[in-house]
Amino acid sequence: MSMDAADGDVRREDLLSTLDVIEDQPLGERAAAYALLHDELAKRLESGPRDPNA
């Protein structure tokens, strides 16, 4: 397994853990937690490598 694949597996597990924590919260708190997660994931996507041919 390459380092990129291992890093991806770790990030996936971190995301799943975060989702589990959010799902265990009361409904009112979940919405805010999902909004924060959305913002964090959007920032990661925006800061990632860009395909110059896209």
Side-chain angles (χ1 to χ4, degrees):
M1 180 182 300
S2 71
M3 284 297 274
D4 288 339
D7 189 42
D9 288 344
V10 168
R11 284 185 291 195
R12 181 176 183 273
E13 291 300 319
D14 286 348
L15 176 59
L16 292 175
S17 295
T18 299
L19 292 172
D20 284 340
V21 169
I22 292 172
E23 282 297 313
D24 287 339
Q25 295 177 0
L27 184 59
E29 294 175 25
R30 274 188 251 165
Y34 277 123
L36 289 173
L37 178 60
H38 172 271
D39 292 345
E40 178 184 333
L41 293 173
K43 286 178 189 176
R44 285 188 199 177
L45 284 172
E46 291 169 2
S47 68
R50 303 208 185 270
D51 182 356
N53 298 321

